[in-house]
Amino acid sequence: RKEVEQDPGPFNVPEGATVAFNCTYSNSASQSFFWYRQDCRKEPKLLMSVYSSGNEDGRFTAQLNRASQYISLLIRDSKLSDSATYLCVPDTGRRALTFGSGTRLQVQP
Amino acid sequence: DAGITQSPRHKVTETGTPVTLRCHQTENHRYMYWYRQDPGHGLRLIHYSYGVKDTDKGEVSDGYSVSRSKTEDFLLTLESATSSQTSVYFCAIRTGPKDTEAFFGQGTRLTVV
């Protein structure tokens, strides 16, 4: 099983929609989790950190389900500018950082 | 801004030539990473470092070597470049209150012809 798995998408949604995608992880020792946003041909940038059961920042909510070993990202009221690839990475406490391959979101007018 | 720069930003090189990419940071972060990103593969870890002269291999380390003789610099070397190493290379450091959050350089676009 891969260390981190994400549905590659693309998720095509209209403006204003709510969209959610999941990231599953295999290492149950993972304590904290991170969502990154990557625009085309740019470097990934930190979107949200999750150190407990979840986190909320404006239109973005991350929820952690430790029993099923996945973390979700919910985006409400989608904007055109939300179009990007979203990467997740669990922090397992090891030195290496392994990213998921990302979920592509395309918000359409 | 975590003060991380990559050089060069773009490079075209010929098969069989050595290539060195540089990652420079200004804030004495311990962890530094090199990733490559290709369509359909996401970010794949090549090598990483925990400190001066302390490096380890990632999942796609074959054909690459690294060196970290100073805290601020992490060098990635392709000893003999191949076309399969054409990619975008990202350097990252770990920052944040628990040294867990990654911050990336702008990337180096390498083409091997």
Side-chain angles (χ1 to χ4, degrees), chain A residues 13-19 59 75-80 82 107:
Chain A
V13 302
E15 270 187 291
T18 296
V19 61
R59 298 182 294 109
I75 305 175
R76 290 180 295 276
D77 189 22
S78 298
K79 312 289 186 191
L80 293 176
D82 293 333
V107 180

Side-chain angles (χ1 to χ4, degrees), chain B residues 6-74:
Chain B
Q6 292 185 231
S7 59
R9 295 290 314 282
H10 301 271
K11 186 170 181 67
V12 180
T13 192
E14 294 185 348
T15 298
T17 61
V19 177
T20 295
L21 309 183
R22 181 187 186 224
C23 179
H24 178 79
Q25 54 124 340
T26 59
E27 298 183 357
N28 289 322
H29 296 287
R30 292 179 300 174
Y31 290 100
M32 297 185 78
Y33 299 82
W34 276 108
Y35 293 89
R36 61 177 288 175
Q37 188 171 40
D38 307 288
H41 286 280
L43 284 166
R44 291 186 291 175
L45 182 62
I46 306 172
H47 281 279
Y48 57 99
S49 171
Y50 185 66
V52 173
K53 298 183 181 178
D54 184 346
T55 64
D56 209 344
K57 296 180 180 180
E59 61 181 308
V60 290
S61 60
D62 287 348
Y64 301 94
S65 63
V66 289
S67 68
R68 193 163 178 203
S69 57
K70 297 185 291 183
T71 299
E72 60 265 36
D73 288 322
F74 192 31

Side-chain angles (χ1 to χ4, degrees), chain B residues 36-38 82-89 110-113:
Chain B
R36 61 177 288 175
Q37 188 171 40
D38 307 288
T82 67
S83 58
S84 65
Q85 293 175 311
T86 293
S87 189
V88 178
Y89 292 85
L110 177 67
T111 303
V112 184
V113 298

Side-chain angles (χ1 to χ4, degrees), chain A residues 32 34 36 38 41-46 49 51 87 91 93-102, chain B residues 31 33 35 37 41-43 45 48 50 54 59 90 94 97-98 100-106 109:
Chain A
S32 48
F34 306 91
Y36 288 79
Q38 185 175 26
R41 302 169 77 86
K42 298 283 190 179
E43 74 274 23
K45 294 184 178 179
L46 182 65
S49 305
Y51 293 105
L87 308 166
D91 180 17
R94 301 201 308 260
R95 295 180 178 185
L97 270 181
T98 301
F99 283 76
S101 54
Chain B
Y31 290 100
Y33 299 82
Y35 293 89
Q37 188 171 40
H41 286 280
L43 284 166
L45 182 62
Y48 57 99
Y50 185 66
D54 184 346
E59 61 181 308
F90 288 104
R94 289 176 82 161
K98 300 182 181 181
T100 52
E101 299 166 3
F103 188 89
F104 286 83
Q106 292 180 295
R109 195 167 296 275

